[in-house]
Amino acid sequence: MQNESTETVRGTDLRLDLLSCDQVYRAERAFRNLMMHEQTEICLVVSGVGVCCVLNQEFPCKAGDIFIIPANTPHRFFLAEKDGTLAVRRLRFRIGDWFEGEIARPESPRYCYGVFNDNAIFACAPLNVRMREKANALFDDIETERTEKREEWTETVRCDLAQLLINVARYLNCSIKNGSSVSPAESQIVLAALRAVKERYGDADLTLASLAELFSVSASHISKLFKSVTGRFFSDYLRSVRLDEACRLLKDSTLTVEEIVPLCGLRDVPSFYKNFNRYLNTTPAEYRQTVRRSATEAEHAKKQTEEKRMSILNEISENLQKGKAKLVKELVQQAIDEGLNPSEILDQGLLAGMNVIGEKFKNNEVFVPEVLVAARAMNMGAQILKPLLAEAGAQASGKVCIGTVQGDLHDIGKNLVKMMMEGKGLEVVDLGTDVSPEAFVQTAIEQDCRIICCSALLTTTMGVMAKVVEEAEKAGIRDKVKIMIGGAPVTEDFCREIGADAYTPDAASAAEKALAFCKEA
Ligand code: B1M
């Protein structure tokens, strides 16, 4: 992570770049001060064209637009233009509990939800290309930070974000309460005050007066600045941070009130009780009891949900092994209705059951008939999942042919690959099982397929895949058609050895690779 000096430089950079934005406008119902809101969200449109919908208003947006939205808007989302895609990255800030970040999935095909929490768009501005790159890099930093350190934001990132917020707010011409704007030097003072509260809330000597002394300005000046930028009085803010910490300790530790008070920079036990009661409307003991009770209840509910989830997945797996196709179908539907993720139903329910059958088959504990009925149950369950595994809004993006190679009758894996590919919007010509190399190549030529996909489950039939490659070369289509292979005994080394273009271990990665090949074309 960056050190202190990088942080300052980056902050300045952002400020300068913001000053060179091409164009700026404000939404009609813009609020006066970005920092006045408890929760704020910054959304950067990374690519695409669409609209930002907040309540009943729609604001056109395109790559590079930055939206700043205050808290508590119930109905809010970004929507791509028809048939298009829109990627939006968003960050959520809570002034009291700095920068709780969230990144919307940039790969979302149609829209990204935002948690906008008030009743109007605060402001938006199109950024110039340089600033857009900067903002994007900043989001990257935050994302790395979030992934690697989870919720523990480093000071550098906090500073960058605060700088971004303050400068965007200033650039958007958000007048502050007294009508004057805050200079960069003044915003640094506010920043430092915010940091001091975050770092030194436990120090009872931290007061407005001590900060004023530190910056060689009057206490009333800092107080005015702080209120202008954050919308809160410094003393209120400091108290709320201290009380928050006290609440955290009451909840997460066994410390007594007498031990907690000095840790939170609070003056004495009686005034702590008084403030606690005044601002939280309860006593510390009651608070501790209530949060612990709700934590236990939440834990219990979570455990129950997990048990329920596992129980239905186990039921799917067990009934699949027994070949109860109708029941498996019903259970899969029930799992979907209960909100389980389709991929976990596939992996931990259907495929888990199929793996058990495979092991038993190998050990001669079950025989062909049992395996066949299990396979039927697997196929019926997978059919229910098919529309859910398909990506919403996927466009027709290429044609492929698929089959299980000559001599091989296993088709469950091949069918799954086909299903996933269709879900990605690919057109799939299914040649079935026992497909000869000539049939693969002939179909690719006649139907103008971009990819030939071969599946093999027997070590004895893997060799047919090499013949498919040879046949494609012989027919002169090798430079136009990609050959993808897969199936339990197939490996990456084998793929290289026979000169095929790609090996993928499972249906999902096969579909992704195929889509990538089609996009290359
Ligand atoms: Co057979 N069978 N089987 N079988 N069968 C296996 C494969 C076996 C490993 C069982 C064992 O002994 N443990 C073994 C092969 C041993 C070997 O060669 N290494 C075997 C055998 C020996 C046989 C017979 C020879 C048995 C006999 O008759 N004595 C015989 C052969 C028939 C023939 O094909 N000519 C035979 C018959 C059968 C059934 C007909 C009973 C039935 C097939 C029913 C059907 O498919 N409609 C069957 C089954 C079901 C199995 C097992 C139990 C399950 C296979 C399966 O569907 N798995 C299997 C044991 C096992 O694998 N544990 C076994 C679930 C499926 C989703 O996984 O197909 O691997 P899979 O697909 C995966 C990935 O591999 C990948 O994606 C899928 C999921 O993400 N993938 C690709 C697949 N294709 C891909 C293509 C790609 C990319 C990824 O790009 C193009």
Side-chain angles (χ1 to χ4, degrees):
M1 209 57 232
Q2 295 87 342
N3 57 30
E4 200 74 9
S5 65
T6 325
E7 165 198 316
T8 316
V9 170
R10 175 132 27 93
T12 316
D13 267 343
L14 281 171
R15 184 172 58 80
L16 293 178
D17 281 345
L18 277 163
L19 289 173
S20 60
C21 288
D22 303 325
Q23 191 199 349
V24 165
Y25 58 93
R26 268 204 295 168
E28 266 172 37
R29 297 170 62 191
F31 288 93
R32 276 188 307 189
N33 193 328
L34 169 66
M35 300 294 274
M36 278 175 74
H37 297 279
E38 272 285 298
Q39 291 204 10
T40 302
E41 192 155 291
I42 292 193
C43 302
L44 174 69
V45 182
V46 184
S47 66
V49 180
V51 283
C52 168
C53 312
V54 180
L55 293 170
N56 292 327
Q57 297 186 68
E58 287 191 358
F59 301 84
C61 67
K62 61 177 187 323
D65 284 357
I66 201 156
F67 285 80
I68 297 156
I69 297 149
N72 298 328
T73 305
H75 180 65
R76 64 291 185 239
F77 53 89
F78 283 85
L79 194 64
E81 240 184 15
K82 194 168 179 292
D83 300 336
T85 59
L86 184 70
V88 178
R89 305 181 86 177
R90 62 196 179 84
L91 281 170
R92 197 164 149 221
F93 307 89
R94 207 190 296 153
I95 304 293
D97 178 25
W98 281 89
F99 313 134
E100 187 191 76
E102 253 190 284
I103 314 285
R105 287 173 54 220
E107 71 276 16
S108 301
R110 283 281 289 145
Y111 62 81
C112 306
Y113 262 97
V115 189
F116 310 150
N117 305 307
D118 212 331
N119 53 10
I121 281 209
F122 173 73
C124 52
L127 302 182
N128 63 13
V129 174
R130 240 185 99 208
M131 181 54 206
R132 197 189 311 173
E133 278 165 14
K134 289 262 174 208
N136 214 358
L138 183 58
F139 272 77
D140 278 343
D141 272 5
I142 297 157
E143 201 163 4
T144 315
E145 186 81 359
R146 189 173 158 74
T147 326
E148 288 175 2
K149 298 203 163 179
R150 297 180 186 271
E151 303 303 319
E152 294 167 34
W153 304 87
T154 68
E155 212 41 48
T156 309
V157 169
R158 287 198 188 110
C159 272
D160 281 346
L161 292 173
Q163 192 72 57
L164 181 70
L165 276 170
I166 290 171
N167 289 318
V168 169
R170 284 182 49 231
Y171 190 63
L172 291 172
N173 203 13
C174 310
S175 56
I176 52 173
K177 212 157 190 201
N178 62 9
S180 65
S181 66
V182 180
S183 72
E186 287 170 330
S187 63
Q188 288 296 339
I189 292 181
V190 176
L191 254 183
L194 287 165
R195 283 172 65 182
V197 173
K198 201 69 193 164
E199 285 163 7
R200 294 175 45 206
Y201 61 83
D203 176 358
D205 292 336
L206 175 68
T207 58
L208 197 60
S210 69
L211 279 179
E213 210 178 312
L214 199 69
F215 294 114
S216 312
V217 289
S218 72
S220 69
H221 184 55
I222 295 203
S223 168
K224 220 158 82 187
L225 274 182
F226 196 90
K227 176 78 170 69
S228 303
V229 174
T230 66
R232 303 181 69 177
F233 288 109
F234 178 81
S235 50
D236 286 348
Y237 179 65
L238 180 58
R239 188 188 40 247
S240 71
V241 170
R242 285 174 167 162
L243 282 178
D244 278 357
E245 179 59 11
C247 286
R248 192 188 66 76
L249 292 172
L250 284 167
K251 181 170 142 255
D252 298 339
S253 77
T254 52
L255 295 176
T256 62
V257 166
E258 287 69 19
E259 287 165 325
I260 288 174
V261 164
L263 290 176
C264 300
L266 295 159
R267 247 184 311 130
D268 50 56
V269 175
S271 58
F272 171 64
Y273 272 106
K274 211 169 114 200
N275 273 327
F276 204 91
N277 208 303
R278 181 161 167 212
Y279 293 100
L280 296 161
N281 238 339
T282 180
T283 65
E286 272 167 11
Y287 175 82
R288 181 169 254 169
Q289 217 175 20
T290 314
V291 288
R292 290 207 173 150
R293 200 182 313 121
S294 31
T296 319
E297 279 165 13
E299 188 60 32
H300 183 67
K302 201 172 145 203
K303 218 169 133 200
Q304 270 188 333
T305 315
E306 179 57 18
E307 275 169 12
K308 206 165 162 207
R309 194 183 71 85
M310 280 321 291
S311 119
I312 192 157
L313 292 173
N314 286 341
E315 260 189 90
I316 292 174
S317 164
E318 274 160 24
N319 284 295
L320 180 141
Q321 292 165 47
K322 291 179 194 152
K324 296 188 174 169
K326 195 165 161 270
L327 189 54
V328 167
K329 205 174 140 188
E330 283 165 14
L331 285 167
V332 169
Q333 188 56 55
Q334 187 188 329
I336 295 167
D337 295 343
E338 283 176 16
L340 271 77
N341 183 319
S343 344
E344 73 180 341
I345 302 175
L346 179 65
D347 293 341
Q348 294 172 44
L350 297 174
L351 288 177
M354 213 55 212
N355 284 342
V356 178
I357 281 286
E359 268 308 294
K360 290 188 175 165
F361 189 43
K362 189 165 93 186
N363 301 328
N364 289 326
E365 291 165 34
V366 296
F367 302 95
V368 173
E370 287 100 315
V371 179
L372 274 178
V373 286
R376 194 168 143 262
M378 162 89 207
N379 276 333
M380 282 180 75
Q383 279 311 313
I384 306 276
L385 290 176
K386 185 174 173 176
L388 298 171
L389 292 168
E391 277 179 21
Q395 305 298 307
S397 40
K399 196 169 184 182
V400 309
C401 60
I402 192 167
T404 307
V405 298
Q406 201 161 42
D408 204 326
L409 300 175
H410 297 86
D411 66 357
I412 300 174
K414 184 261 307 168
N415 291 344
L416 273 182
V417 175
K418 176 187 169 195
M419 202 165 96
M420 292 291 200
M421 286 184 173
E422 286 176 339
K424 289 258 176 212
L426 296 165
E427 191 181 341
V428 184
V429 181
D430 187 355
L431 300 171
T433 58
D434 194 19
V435 183
S436 70
E438 295 78 11
F440 273 116
V441 172
Q442 207 49 41
T443 308
I445 296 170
E446 283 167 9
Q447 305 232 27
D448 196 19
C449 296
R450 171 77 184 123
I451 310 170
I452 293 175
C453 300
C454 307
S455 176
L457 263 283
L458 300 171
T459 36
T460 47
T461 58
M462 281 165 65
V464 180
M465 291 172 161
K467 295 213 176 96
V468 175
V469 179
E470 280 168 27
E471 192 63 30
E473 269 162 12
K474 234 193 297 168
I477 58 164
R478 196 63 192 90
D479 55 338
K480 294 187 207 77
V481 175
K482 298 279 183 196
I483 299 175
M484 287 179 59
I485 61 172
V490 182
T491 61
E492 185 77 59
D493 281 351
F494 179 72
C495 174
R496 262 194 301 272
E497 203 179 294
I498 66 169
D501 296 295
Y503 155 76
T504 46
D506 54 52
S509 57
E512 256 158 41
K513 188 76 203 170
L515 185 65
F517 276 147
C518 288
K519 280 188 176 160
E520 269 173 25

